[in-house]
Amino acid sequence: MDTTHPPAMIDAREVGKTYRGDVRALDGVTLRVAAGEIYGLVGPNGAGKTTLLRTLTGLMAPTSGSIRTGAAESAAVIGSLIESPAFYPSMSGHRNLTLLCAYWGAHGAAADRALELVGLTTRDGRRSFRHYSLGMKQRLGIAAALLGDPGIVVLDEPTNGLDPEAIAGVRDIVRNLRDQGCAVLLSSHLLGEVEQVADRIGVLSAGRLVAEGTVAELRHTLRSRRWVEVDVDDARKATDVGLKLGLAVADGSGGRLRFELSDAIEPHEVNRTLVGAGIRVNAIAEIGDSLEATFFDLISDATQSDERNHR
Ligand SMILES: Nc1ncnc2c1ncn2[C@@H]1O[C@H](COP(=O)(O)OP(=O)(O)OP(=O)(O)O)[C@@H](O)[C@H]1O
Ligand SMILES: [Mg+2]
């Protein structure tokens, strides 16, 4: 990518959404997605992903905050797939798209092009929608999102229920869109899935963006939250040793201790220092090393503090 900043096609600031019944689904979410960028929004069920995508695409008004889409000088068409789109079951996939072309004011040829982009063959296009497999339905949904030649594409869990081959297919589609200069925003409840395709990732938990960055940046911040768990004969003495090493210490019951590792200190050094101080180390294990595991830590931290706030 060049050094000049590509324009932000989605610019959301401090977006909040409270549903009726006082359900606070979003709480001060700020995010930007640039042209030619894939942004992956990750979070567990109920985190607020769909709510955020609906507010960003204008399907729903936020309770607070501001949202701007498109470049400064021109509005961009937003193509989106949020929850299952309604297709006529008795009509063919192609016919369904042609009807939507009329809605978008797009030429009928856009339907053929969109089918091709998502890897549905002419023959697939002729079959009636009711005979489509889940993967084909999902592809048709993405095709529908592309009809208006959008500058912004928003896909809510586009790989839900798909087999690995179909998931790889969706990844290709998304990369193509990015390479054509689209701003792509997609969501998933699986970090591993967006990790492979997103240029930047935002982690949403209980309505808040709790982490954001490139995959490499997230890896760095999350990896630095590594812990080593030790089982020792003298927990108090071991705690002192850990603190002297400058490590955060947790737990302390029944001789089991957790030291948070820094970038500079490895588990074997903790072991050596403990043993050197005359402490017997019965067991030592590193935990929370994978990006996925620390991702869950992040989410449960945020959820717990959220629960405390509501108490
Ligand atoms: N129409 C609604 N009315 C009231 N509450 C809602 C509504 N839609 C969503 N919520 C609540 O808002 C919160 C966020 O829901 P949302 O659907 O945005 O999460 P999500 O991250 O998309 O979850 P999932 O992974 O299950 O799709 C949840 O607590 C949900 O119960
Ligand atoms: Mg959802």
Side-chain angles (χ1 to χ4, degrees), residues 236-264:
R236 267 186 51 191
K237 202 162 158 192
T239 302
D240 289 342
V241 171
L243 292 175
K244 261 184 212 142
L245 275 174
L247 304 176
V249 186
D251 282 334
S253 62
R256 278 189 179 275
L257 284 178
R258 279 184 182 194
F259 298 111
E260 187 171 0
L261 295 170
S262 68
D263 272 348

Side-chain angles (χ1 to χ4, degrees), residues 228-234 238 255 259 267-285:
V228 63
E229 190 172 82
V230 294
D231 185 352
V232 291
D233 65 343
D234 189 339
F259 298 111
H268 69 268
E269 294 173 274
V270 174
N271 185 44
R272 200 177 53 218
T273 314
L274 289 173
V275 172
I279 297 163
R280 196 171 79 209
V281 180
N282 299 317
I284 182 161

Side-chain angles (χ1 to χ4, degrees), residues 281-302:
V281 180
N282 299 317
I284 182 161
E286 188 175 330
I287 45 180
D289 194 21
S290 77
L291 198 54
E292 195 78 39
T294 29
F295 165 67
F296 282 118
D297 278 357
L298 251 181
I299 285 167
S300 66
D301 284 358

Side-chain angles (χ1 to χ4, degrees), residues 46 48-51 83 156-157 187:
K49 301 180 297 293
T50 301
T51 302
E83 270 138 25
D156 191 17
E157 311 237 16
S187 74

